[in-house]
Amino acid sequence: MGGMIHDDPLIAQRLAKLELARTTIGDPFAQTTYDVTHHAAEVVDEFEALEGQTVRLAGRLHTLRGKGRAAFWDLYDQSGRIQIFANVDSLGAEPFAQLGEVLDLGDIIGVEGVVMRTRMGEISVQASAVALLAKALRPPPLGKEKDGESWNRVSDVEWRYRRRYVDLFANREVRQVFEARSKIIASLRQTLNERGFLEVETPMLQPIQGGAAARPFSTHHNALDMELYLRIAPELYLKRLLVGGFERVYEINRNFRNEGIDTNHNPEFTMLESYQAYADYEAVMEQTEALVTNACLAVHGTLQIEYQGQALDLTAPWPRVRLFDALAQATGHDLGAVAGDEAAREAEARAVAGEIGVHLQPSDGFGQIVDAILKKYVIPRLVQPTFITEYPVELSPLAKRRADDPSLTERFQPVICGLEVGNAFSELNNPIDQRDRFEAQSRRAARGDDEAMPYDEDYVTALEYGMPPAGGPG
């Protein structure tokens, strides 16, 4: 091994131990398999049935304690922790001494031994054979643990994100997030499958980015000599499937948006979108409640949970609040009553935003101004799950207008703990209106709005063949 790895004295020590292991207990990197019969949690949970039986476990060493003729090691596998009791009597004097010379924190080992309880009462495995399966050449930032408390762990968030593979084994709660996510995805699929939805996949590379207001990543297809975009949303392709005759479809997949990064936004992320023919946004609200509550029950077993110090109750039905009512209550200004043409509505909304300290871009129109005020004065104050409904048409180029007020759409966003966790509406299926909406978006783009939705002529053509009334979340 060469390069800078030799410059670190701790790594140099571990390299020396690796060479020693190769001459005594064998090359750990020559190991190709290990027959695991049980996991740590299984041994602990089923101790009464397993006591006195021989088991084989494998995992990473998190602590090494003891000296002389006995040692205690904490072994972690994917299920949790178990103590390994090793001594001269069970391993033999020479193997015990050889292991003591080469083992370090972070090493991955296989252990065969008898399930037992120590004199201190701790469930353990008394090792009769130990195999070094991988030598950790870098010291892991494992910190200390005792009685469920931990300290001296790596706290640098950027370091942890850049070395997620270390974060996963050094901070067990991170693994729990991965496990919870898997349960959530499985629950979403189960809920939709039970309701007769078909899971599909739509193109990731698209000639026109659409379905959301966001900046895309672009690439060049050499064989076709054309510009393509990583999709920002699957919406327009999923709704093409409704035109084709499917009535209930969904997709759980990756989207890509070339925008800022913070704790709530990532350039690539997983999104669920589904569409149901012959349903409106009221039906989609019920579906959204079912998706969230079922997922919460799958992870927590209850709808009363805590998130970032906030007590939440996800029990349905959730309150519905009209967007302009929420704005009026939060700011004292009734922007829903603003009249006049597009320029007049924008001017009055811009004046209100300036009065209450909301920063705007020069290209922002009436809809973007309303959204900016909403995000500053309403969304952060909503803790319990709430549906914000009836968004202005300027902010909703793919949503169906309300029959009683064409300036508003049948659109909602669910908000939980100050976060917009979705977006849904009764789908616009009128190709004439959709064409007008795309043209309005083109005017926004001409003013410098780089998140304006591009004109998708093929999607309008699809609507001209007829798409049933529908609703869907994304």
Side-chain angles (χ1 to χ4, degrees):
M1 308 182 90
M4 295 183 63
I5 196 169
H6 287 293
D7 297 335
D8 187 317
L10 294 178
I11 295 177
Q13 280 182 4
R14 288 174 176 250
L15 284 169
K17 289 185 178 183
L18 172 61
E19 292 305 314
L20 179 59
R22 285 171 169 158
T23 62
T24 56
I25 64 173
D27 185 351
F29 298 120
Q31 300 284 344
T32 58
T33 186
Y34 190 81
D35 183 19
V36 175
T37 63
H38 295 77
H39 287 99
E42 184 181 1
V43 173
V44 174
D45 294 341
E46 301 179 15
F47 172 74
E48 292 184 1
L50 292 174
E51 184 178 13
Q53 295 188 27
T54 298
V55 297
R56 289 167 63 90
L57 307 94
R60 189 182 296 274
L61 286 172
H62 277 231
T63 61
L64 296 166
R65 305 182 302 278
K67 57 184 178 179
R69 297 177 60 84
F72 296 91
W73 310 328
D74 284 348
L75 181 77
Y76 279 79
D77 62 17
Q78 67 174 10
S79 71
R81 168 194 171 277
I82 193 165
Q83 179 173 270
I84 306 299
F85 172 52
N87 64 6
V88 171
D89 295 335
S90 61
L91 282 171
E94 185 177 11
F96 179 78
Q98 291 170 340
L99 287 167
E101 291 176 335
V102 300
L103 291 182
D104 283 305
L105 295 183
D107 288 351
I108 296 173
I109 65 171
V111 177
E112 180 177 331
V114 174
V115 178
M116 48 88 74
R117 193 186 291 273
T118 65
R119 285 182 293 179
M120 298 299 293
E122 182 161 359
I123 296 172
S124 306
V125 173
Q126 184 171 7
S128 57
V130 177
L132 180 58
L133 304 177
K135 182 68 184 170
L137 300 181
R138 293 183 179 273
L142 294 175
K144 303 292 184 181
E145 291 187 24
K146 186 176 182 181
D147 299 329
E149 299 294 326
S150 61
W151 61 96
N152 293 341
R153 289 183 174 181
V154 174
S155 58
D156 187 315
V157 173
E158 182 175 354
W159 190 97
R160 292 174 60 187
Y161 282 176
R162 291 185 180 278
R163 296 168 179 83
R164 182 63 91 183
Y165 43 86
V166 177
D167 193 30
L168 277 167
F169 71 74
N171 297 289
R172 301 292 295 183
E173 64 273 14
V174 177
R175 178 184 295 275
Q176 294 170 3
V177 174
F178 278 66
E179 293 168 347
R181 180 186 184 278
S182 180
K183 292 178 181 178
I184 290 169
I185 297 295
S187 174
L188 295 176
R189 281 197 169 98
Q190 180 178 353
T191 298
L192 290 169
N193 291 343
E194 290 176 350
R195 291 175 174 231
F197 283 79
L198 176 70
E199 184 172 10
V200 298
E201 289 188 350
T202 58
M204 292 280 190
L205 288 174
Q206 302 178 352
I208 299 174
Q209 78 279 12
R215 291 187 293 272
F217 289 95
S218 61
T219 187
H220 185 78
H221 193 298
N222 292 332
L224 298 177
D225 190 25
M226 64 182 297
E227 291 299 305
L228 292 173
Y229 302 93
L230 287 175
R231 73 174 185 196
I232 57 176
E235 177 171 343
L236 301 188
Y237 284 88
L238 287 170
K239 289 196 285 193
R240 284 174 169 94
L241 293 177
L242 297 185
V243 174
F246 291 100
E247 295 184 0
R248 299 188 180 201
V249 294
Y250 76 94
E251 181 171 8
I252 301 174
N253 221 322
R254 308 292 274 183
N255 291 334
F256 307 86
R257 298 182 181 179
N258 195 0
E259 300 174 341
I261 302 176
D262 58 34
T263 55
N264 295 326
H265 297 87
N266 204 47
E268 60 172 305
F269 60 95
T270 300
M271 176 184 283
L272 161 68
E273 286 209 25
S274 71
Y275 294 93
Q276 178 179 347
Y278 315 114
D280 65 0
Y281 77 142
E282 291 285 351
V284 179
M285 286 190 215
E286 183 279 327
Q287 176 186 308
T288 301
E289 290 169 336
L291 287 167
V292 173
T293 55
N294 288 346
C296 185
L297 289 171
V299 175
H300 298 288
T302 178
L303 296 178
Q304 288 73 46
I305 62 173
E306 183 176 303
Y307 177 72
Q308 295 187 348
Q310 298 277 7
L312 297 177
D313 186 349
L314 301 183
T315 303
W318 300 347
R320 275 78 162 154
V321 180
R322 288 162 46 96
L323 182 147
F324 284 116
D325 291 345
L327 287 178
Q329 183 176 4
T331 68
H333 295 275
D334 185 5
L335 290 172
V338 174
D341 60 15
E342 182 178 343
R345 283 159 57 84
E346 177 186 328
E348 187 164 347
R350 189 172 288 276
V352 170
E355 180 181 332
I356 60 179
V358 176
H359 176 73
L360 300 174
Q361 298 296 328
S363 61
D364 287 343
F366 177 78
Q368 288 73 29
I369 296 170
V370 166
D371 193 46
I373 298 172
L374 182 76
K375 283 179 166 58
K376 181 170 183 177
Y377 283 97
V378 176
I379 301 299
R381 301 176 184 180
L382 293 174
V383 175
Q384 300 305 319
T386 305
F387 290 122
I388 302 294
T389 69
E390 300 179 24
Y391 281 63
V393 69
E394 295 93 338
L395 199 58
S396 313
L398 300 172
K400 183 169 287 189
R401 298 175 189 266
R402 286 187 60 85
D404 59 349
D405 186 347
S407 70
L408 301 176
T409 61
E410 293 189 356
R411 176 186 172 189
F412 71 85
Q413 285 194 295
V415 179
I416 304 176
C417 214
L419 297 172
E420 298 166 325
V421 297
N423 179 44
F425 33 82
S426 301
E427 305 301 330
L428 176 58
N429 63 340
N430 180 342
I432 300 170
D433 193 359
Q434 185 63 80
R435 188 183 299 276
D436 291 343
R437 306 274 193 99
F438 277 150
E439 290 174 350
Q441 289 291 301
S442 296
R443 292 193 293 272
R444 302 291 323 146
R447 288 185 53 178
D449 185 352
D450 56 5
E451 292 187 354
M453 199 172 295
Y455 194 117
D456 190 334
E457 181 64 42
D458 182 74
Y459 177 67
V460 175
T461 299
L463 293 184
E464 289 174 342
Y465 281 97
M467 186 182 88

